[in-house]
Amino acid sequence: MEVHCAPYRDDRGAVIGAVAVLRDVTELRQSERLRRELTANVSHELRTPLTSIKGFVETLLDGALRDEQTLRRFLTIINSEANRLVKLVDDLLDLSRLESKRAPLELQPVDVGSW
């Protein structure tokens, strides 16, 4: 609970009571915790493919460019990791739109028994 109190005064300025506003901040605290967890998870999910891409590019620049088989394999991995980053960023943008309530929800019935 978050509590704010203020004195209540009469016309002469004498305190004759108090006004208190109580606010349940449980949902706000949970939202803040989820946001911190999301930030930590996203940071990890971004760092993994970026580290991979950086490592493969450095190896190619250090001379692996001359080996066509290694070059092709590394470029395939770099492409895959870049696609992973694009998907992650797209998911983050979708979450942002949903959170800001700018994205309309398209509700449809789903037959879960068919899955």
Side-chain angles (χ1 to χ4, degrees), residues 4-23:
H4 295 278
C5 297
Y8 183 69
R9 301 178 188 272
D10 66 11
D11 295 337
R12 290 170 283 163
V15 176
I16 58 172
V19 175
V21 176
L22 304 171
R23 182 174 159 209

Side-chain angles (χ1 to χ4, degrees), residues 36-72:
R36 282 191 305 272
E37 289 175 7
L38 176 66
T39 301
N41 289 336
V42 166
S43 297
H44 175 74
E45 290 298 321
L46 286 171
R47 182 170 299 278
T48 302
L50 286 171
T51 301
S52 177
I53 290 170
K54 185 167 175 43
F56 285 113
V57 168
E58 286 173 355
T59 303
L60 290 171
L61 291 173
D62 285 343
L65 281 170
R66 292 180 205 90
D67 180 355
E68 191 173 329
Q69 184 177 355
T70 301
L71 174 63
R72 181 166 298 284

